[in-house]
Every structure is written in structure tokens, then in C-alpha cells.
Amino acid sequence: MYQKVVIVGNLGSDPEMRYTPQGEAVTNLNVATNRRWTGRDGQPGEETTWFRVSVWGKAAEACNQYLAKGRQVFVEGTLTPDRETGGPRIWTNNEGQSRASYELRAITVQFLGGGGGGGGGGGGGNTNYQNAPTASDSIAEDEIPF
């Protein structure tokens, strides 16, 4: 069995980098993807889906250094289901509304376009970072420091 998810979206906030107790870099990206359509009644519709992406190792350090809020990214990875529900992570916002976020573990992160803040010296080019963990360097989710 195999699964792969590919998303293209914009960062909703600056990257957040931490280190595991073993010294491995982990960067979290909040990526918004948008879908637009025109309904049968001619009215436009729009839907935004948020993904929380974890990037590991050297790719995590590069993402933290060169990405910033608003920057567009291409992410290829695998879904990480919530341990309790087996689906997306469910939470309640400050207004009491139920929300869900989808968790991805990045395999590849590609920096696209100039986007919002752009980041320190990343330019507007396409930069591709591989982040393919092997079974031997897999880190348990409870070791993630956030």
C-alpha cells in the first residue's frame, strides 16, 4: 500500500522550527490551499483548506531560513492521521467553532514564486528540497517538540 499527497498553497504564517531531543531539526509550515468554482446558479464559490506540514532534517533548516508568510510552496508528502480519530486533527477555535487541520509529513518541499515576505534571499526561483526519511531515521510523533 502507498499514499502520497501533493499540495500547492501559500504559507499562512512564518515557519516554526524546533529541535528534537536527539538534535533533529523539525519545521512546521501552515499551508492554505484554495479551490474556486462557479456554481450552477452562476455564483462564485471558494473553499480554503489548511494543512499543517512537518519538514525534517536539512530541508527543515532550509524552509526555516528561506520561507516566510505568504510564500507559495509545492509540498509532496504523506498524511499523518490523528491518533485518536484516525482522521484530521479536530479542534475548537476561539469563537467556539469546530475546525479541522490535515497533517502532512513532507517528502519534498519546493519553493515557488515570490509570494508575500519571500524570506531572506530565497529569490523567486524554484528551489527543491528532498526530505525523504528512511525507516531507520524515523522519529516517533511523541518526540516532536510541538
Side-chain angles (χ1 to χ4, degrees), residues 2-26:
Y2 182 75
Q3 60 134 319
K4 179 170 39 172
V5 176
V6 175
I7 62 171
V8 175
N10 294 83
L11 297 184
S13 60
D14 288 338
E16 299 173 14
M17 187 169 80
R18 307 279 189 277
Y19 288 91
T20 66
Q22 293 77 24
E24 174 117 28
V26 183

Side-chain angles (χ1 to χ4, degrees), residues 7 10-20 24-32 50-57 59-65 67-69 73 75 80 89 101-106 109 111 131 141 143-146:
I7 62 171
N10 294 83
L11 297 184
S13 60
D14 288 338
E16 299 173 14
M17 187 169 80
R18 307 279 189 277
Y19 288 91
T20 66
E24 174 117 28
V26 183
T27 296
N28 260 18
L29 307 174
N30 291 311
V31 181
W50 286 92
F51 292 87
R52 184 173 163 109
V53 179
S54 62
V55 186
W56 293 79
E61 294 171 347
C63 286
N64 186 61
Q65 182 177 354
L67 293 177
K69 179 179 179 177
V73 293
V75 178
T80 304
R89 185 174 64 89
S101 68
Y102 299 90
E103 313 278 332
L104 290 179
R105 181 175 177 139
V109 177
F111 306 167
N131 188 37
E141 282 186 35
E143 293 179 30
I144 299 174
F146 43 84

